[in-house]
């Protein structure tokens, strides 16, 4: 490990760090990081221990429930702070990683907002994270440009751009390259703090503010932690309290039982909740994985029309609108299919049905992963939502029970589903290890969340030795046969040279270990991060 001589001796870097990025890791920025880490990291680690304790209770057969000790918060009348003007209309949001070209194209896409992602669609290489911060800073300063020499094309910002929202990494992740007191930095604090430190003044001058998406909360006490971090950061930097605004992703099964509590914990900062559908499915399987008789069918069969998903999305709308904040719908993973008009029409039709369901249910906006889908989603919401949002739709007569939120979806488990999970999981992990966290596979935009579903389903099906639709039992012998055969398919798809690269060979080993391990690995990204 190496230190920079002009810094506190408590700050050091891993030896593999060659670029200290002095334009981002200024002395002032590092001092801010050190202060936040010292003040908040121990509590973060305690919250992660609470997650393990909760999982132990689930493993003993308990189910998620509405907390009895916070009934007063759920039943009393209160609302969150006012929503800034540039966040009141979020009918279409585009998401993607923080590479330079993506930042420009997303801001120019015609979407109302762009969620710049340091988390699931970003492989957290040191360079990716630091250049990502620089890209966002340049975008806010209106100096960003990108030249593609192959196409001899230069990309610059349009006069009108989307409102920028940043998603830092989740509480479970570390930034291993930066150590404070020989302890890896919290990745959440790292991403959050650098963006706020460098951009809050210019954002104010631009007539906007520091806006964030907060991912993967599992308990309202984690929202309390974030609120404390934000309040302290505003005071440290001399920012008016309440300037920082956040939208919380509801992408864990436990969070859906604590919606009011999460909003209340952040009520001076929160402007919305988002239905992070893919991570939600992953969490649903993960948390209840050891319950007797709990088995989820093929990933493709679990949709927003599945009863437990429909209940969750409508509950988000109800609780958000009661508290006067926005309810943002989920991701359309489809991407335009070039050269096949028929398949492209089918894909767009699926997106249209999905977005119509969301807007008619009362959602205030939705997500897309590709600029080509912005016009379609915009047309759907413009047609059915002539106002900036739908806060007037309260769904007061809706009654969602605890059983509604955990109802097991009906469906089948097939060899095709097994193969798709193996194939997508390995391709995604290999690409992630190569430094790319958003991968187009089979005309869908895959990120860490969808890869998590793929490997978790294989693990669960194998552990339960489920019966396939054709009557066969999915035991270790059948898994080994299918896995070996699917590796041949992957080699045919990639070619022998690429298949034998270190990234693909590591991905194969990681995926195999994840799905055959006796103990379930909470997040694949924590396991694969050691390879970066």
């Amino acid at each position: 490990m190496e230190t920079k001589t002009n810094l506190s001796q408590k700050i050091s870097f891993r030896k593999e760090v060659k670029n200290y990025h002095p334009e981002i890791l200024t002395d002032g920025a590092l001092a801010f990081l050190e202060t936040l880490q010292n003040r908040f990291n121990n509590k973060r680690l305690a919250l992660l221990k609470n997650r393990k304790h909760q999982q132990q209770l689930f493993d003993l057969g308990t189910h998620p429930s509405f907390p009895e000790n916070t009934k007063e918060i759920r039943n009393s009348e209160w609302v969150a702070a006012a929503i800034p003007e540039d966040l009141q209309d979020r009918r279409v949001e585009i998401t993607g990683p923080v590479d330079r070209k993506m930042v420009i194209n997303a801001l120019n896409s015609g979407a109302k907002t762009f969620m710049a992602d340091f988390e699931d669609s970003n492989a957290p290489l040191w360079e990716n994270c630091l250049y990502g911060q620089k890209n966002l800073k340049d975008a806010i300063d209106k100096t960003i440009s990108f030249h593609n020499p192959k196409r001899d094309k230069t990309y610059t910002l349009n006069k009108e751009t989307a409102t920028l929202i940043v998603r830092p990494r989740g509480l479970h992740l570390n930034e291993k390259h930066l150590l404070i007191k020989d302890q890896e930095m919290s990745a959440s604090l790292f991403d959050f703090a650098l963006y706020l430190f460098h951009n809050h003044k210019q954002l104010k001058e631009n007539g906007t503010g520091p806006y964030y998406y907060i991912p993967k909360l599992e308990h309202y006490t984690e929202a309390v932690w974030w609120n404390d971090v934000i309040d302290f950061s505003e005071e440290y930097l001399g920012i008016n309290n309440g300037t920082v605004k956040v939208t919380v992703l509801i992408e864990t099964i436990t969070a859906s039982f604590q919606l009011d509590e999460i909003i209340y914990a952040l009520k001076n900062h929160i402007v919305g909740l988002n239905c992070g559908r893919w991570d939600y499915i992953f969490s649903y399987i993960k948390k209840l994985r050891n319950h007797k008789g709990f088995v989820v069918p093929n990933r493709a069969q679990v949709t927003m029309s599945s009863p437990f998903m429909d209940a969750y999305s409508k509950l988000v709308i109800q609780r958000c609108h009661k508290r006067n904040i926005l309810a943002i719908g989920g991701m359309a993973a489809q991407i335009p299919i070039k050269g096949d008009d028929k398949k492209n029409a089918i894909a767009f039709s699926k997106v249209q049905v999905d977005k119509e369901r969301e807007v008619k249910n009362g959602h205030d906006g939705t997500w897309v992963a590709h600029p080509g889908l912005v016009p379609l989603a915009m047309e759907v919401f413009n047609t059915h939502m002539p106002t900036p949002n739908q806060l007037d739709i309260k769904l007061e007569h809706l009654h969602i029970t605890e059983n509604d939120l955990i109802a097991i979806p009906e469906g089948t488990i097939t060899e095709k589903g097994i193969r798709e999970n193996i194939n997508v999981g390995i391709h995604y992990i290999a690409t992630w290890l190569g430094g790319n966290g958003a991968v187009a596979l089979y005309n869908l935009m895959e990120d860490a969340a969808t890869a998590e579903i793929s490997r978790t389903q294989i693990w669960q099906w194998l552990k339960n030795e489920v019966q396939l639709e054709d009557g066969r039992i999915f035991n270790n012998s059948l898994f080994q046969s299918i896995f070996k055969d699917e590796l041949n398919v992957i080699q045919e798809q990639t070619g022998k040279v690429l298949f034998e690269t270190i990234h693909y060979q590591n991905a194969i080993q990681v995926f195999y270990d994840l799905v055959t391990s006796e103990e379930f690995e909470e997040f694949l990204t924590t396991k694969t991060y050691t390879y970066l």
Side-chain angles (χ1 to χ4, degrees):
M1 300 173 192
E2 298 181 15
T3 60
K4 293 175 73 178
T5 56
N6 59 332
L7 293 178
S8 163
Q9 292 302 301
K10 297 174 183 177
I11 298 177
S12 58
F13 294 81
R14 294 282 184 190
K15 64 178 181 300
E16 60 264 30
V17 173
K18 305 301 181 187
N19 186 347
Y20 294 117
H21 290 272
E23 74 284 4
I24 297 297
L25 295 177
T26 62
D27 289 355
L30 284 166
F32 184 36
L33 291 176
E34 181 181 8
T35 301
L36 288 178
Q37 177 82 351
N38 289 337
R39 191 177 185 94
F40 294 106
N41 193 56
N42 285 342
K43 179 62 176 176
R44 175 184 73 100
L45 297 177
L47 291 169
L48 294 178
K49 284 185 179 179
N50 289 346
R51 290 183 178 182
K52 291 182 179 180
H53 175 67
Q54 182 60 70
Q55 185 61 54
Q56 290 170 349
L57 295 177
F58 289 150
D59 290 345
L60 291 173
T62 64
H63 289 88
S65 60
F66 300 121
E68 186 64 28
N69 65 319
T70 55
K71 186 183 291 185
E72 176 66 20
I73 292 175
R74 293 195 297 278
N75 294 338
S76 57
E77 297 297 323
W78 52 269
V79 295
I83 301 172
E85 185 177 349
D86 61 344
L87 288 178
Q88 290 184 14
D89 186 341
R90 296 168 61 178
R91 63 191 59 222
V92 179
E93 303 192 332
I94 189 169
T95 73
V98 288
D99 65 88
R100 204 163 182 86
K101 182 183 174 184
M102 177 68 199
V103 168
I104 297 170
N105 285 344
L107 288 171
N108 289 342
S109 67
K112 292 293 185 180
T113 69
F114 164 45
M115 188 198 78
D117 190 18
F118 284 96
E119 207 217 15
D120 273 359
S121 64
N122 175 60
L125 293 168
W126 177 249
E127 298 301 318
N128 283 357
C129 293
L130 272 296
Y131 278 125
Q133 291 285 351
K134 177 173 171 50
N135 294 339
L136 297 183
K137 185 176 185 300
D138 289 349
I140 292 163
D141 292 342
K142 309 293 186 185
T143 61
I144 192 170
S145 64
F146 174 78
H147 182 71
N148 185 334
K150 289 184 178 179
R151 300 178 63 185
D152 193 25
K153 182 177 179 180
T154 298
Y155 299 79
T156 58
L157 288 182
N158 296 338
K159 186 175 181 180
E160 295 287 329
T161 60
T163 298
L164 183 60
I165 308 177
V166 172
R167 177 162 70 170
R169 283 168 283 178
L171 291 181
H172 61 290
L173 295 169
N174 292 343
E175 176 45 72
K176 68 179 181 180
H177 300 95
L178 178 65
L179 299 101
I180 295 175
K181 295 180 180 176
D182 294 326
Q183 189 175 38
E184 291 180 355
M185 178 86 201
S186 159
S188 298
L189 293 175
F190 184 84
D191 299 338
F192 166 83
L194 288 178
Y195 179 71
L196 185 64
F197 181 88
H198 287 292
N199 300 297
H200 69 90
K201 292 180 182 177
Q202 188 61 51
L203 285 166
K204 184 178 181 179
E205 284 189 28
N206 293 351
T208 182
Y211 304 148
Y212 293 90
Y213 257 109
I214 296 179
K216 293 184 174 55
L217 296 191
E218 296 192 11
H219 198 274
Y220 71 87
T221 53
E222 297 174 8
V224 172
W225 181 88
W226 268 111
N227 191 74
D228 291 344
V229 168
I230 294 167
D231 282 346
F232 176 83
S233 298
E234 287 177 331
E235 183 178 1
Y236 182 99
L237 295 172
I239 304 170
N240 290 336
N241 183 254
T243 298
V244 173
K245 296 298 182 183
V246 302
T247 304
V248 174
L249 286 139
I250 302 301
E251 51 188 352
T252 66
I253 184 66
T254 50
S256 66
F257 288 82
Q258 302 179 21
L259 301 179
D260 288 280
E261 292 87 340
I262 289 169
I263 299 168
Y264 187 80
L266 286 155
K267 64 181 181 295
N268 291 329
H269 300 285
I270 195 165
V271 294
L273 301 179
N274 173 288
C275 289
R277 60 177 69 172
W278 306 116
D279 263 306
Y280 191 82
I281 296 169
F282 162 54
S283 172
Y284 174 71
I285 302 170
K286 176 172 70 170
K287 293 300 179 187
L288 304 180
R289 64 185 183 264
N290 291 317
H291 279 213
K292 188 175 181 180
F294 178 82
V295 177
V296 178
N298 285 0
R299 165 187 151 186
Q301 297 175 27
V302 183
T303 68
M304 292 309 295
S305 62
S306 299
F308 85 106
M309 296 295 285
D310 182 61
Y312 136 75
S313 64
K314 288 177 179 174
L315 185 61
V316 166
I317 296 168
Q318 183 197 57
R319 305 326 294 168
C320 282
H321 289 181
K322 181 176 177 62
R323 307 309 178 185
N324 208 33
I325 64 172
L326 304 179
I328 308 300
M331 168 71 79
Q334 290 83 0
I335 58 177
I337 303 170
K338 296 179 180 178
D340 194 325
D341 292 342
K342 186 176 180 181
K343 283 186 177 180
N344 192 62
I346 292 172
F348 273 55
S349 176
K350 289 180 179 179
V351 175
Q352 180 160 347
V353 170
D354 180 50
K355 301 313 167 193
E356 286 179 348
R357 178 191 296 113
E358 288 181 325
V359 71
K360 290 177 181 179
N361 281 347
H363 277 293
D364 303 291
T366 192
W367 271 16
V368 297
H370 192 283
L373 287 174
V374 170
L376 171 59
M378 193 70 74
E379 182 181 0
V380 170
F381 270 77
N382 287 346
T383 299
H384 299 283
M385 191 178 80
T387 52
N389 52 61
Q390 303 193 88
L391 286 171
D392 58 310
I393 296 178
K394 300 299 184 183
L395 301 182
E396 290 175 342
H397 301 296
L398 178 72
H399 180 62
I400 301 295
T401 67
E402 293 174 341
N403 287 336
D404 291 333
L405 291 171
I406 58 172
I408 302 174
E410 296 182 355
T412 57
I413 301 167
T414 65
E415 179 178 331
K416 183 174 183 288
I418 293 168
R419 288 181 176 276
E420 287 176 351
N421 280 342
I422 293 170
N423 190 287
V424 167
I426 291 174
H427 277 308
Y428 178 81
I429 293 172
T431 309
W432 191 91
L433 290 172
N436 187 0
V439 186
L441 294 171
Y442 308 110
N443 304 315
L444 295 173
M445 188 62 72
E446 306 280 358
D447 67 7
T450 47
E452 291 281 30
I453 298 172
S454 296
R455 64 96 180 185
T456 302
Q457 286 202 311
I458 298 293
W459 183 92
Q460 188 202 33
W461 294 342
L462 191 54
K463 180 169 182 171
N464 287 277
E465 293 194 342
V466 297
Q467 185 174 17
L468 304 187
E469 186 181 33
D470 60 16
R472 289 178 296 165
I473 300 300
F474 185 51
N475 54 24
N476 184 61
S477 175
L478 181 55
F479 165 72
Q480 296 293 344
S481 174
I482 294 175
F483 187 78
K484 182 179 179 181
D485 191 52
E486 198 59 30
L487 291 184
N488 291 330
V489 173
I490 293 171
Q491 182 170 341
E492 288 179 12
Q493 292 170 333
T494 62
K496 192 169 186 293
V497 174
L498 181 58
F499 182 78
E500 292 180 351
T501 60
I502 189 67
H503 294 322
Y504 263 92
Q505 292 305 303
N506 282 339
I508 292 165
Q509 189 63 53
V510 165
F511 188 87
Y512 183 87
D513 291 345
L514 285 170
V515 301
T516 59
S517 171
E518 184 65 29
E519 293 297 319
F520 182 82
E521 185 79 32
E522 282 291 298
F523 293 96
L524 72 81
T525 46
T526 55
K527 184 175 180 66
T528 49
Y529 190 41
T530 59
Y531 290 86
L532 286 182

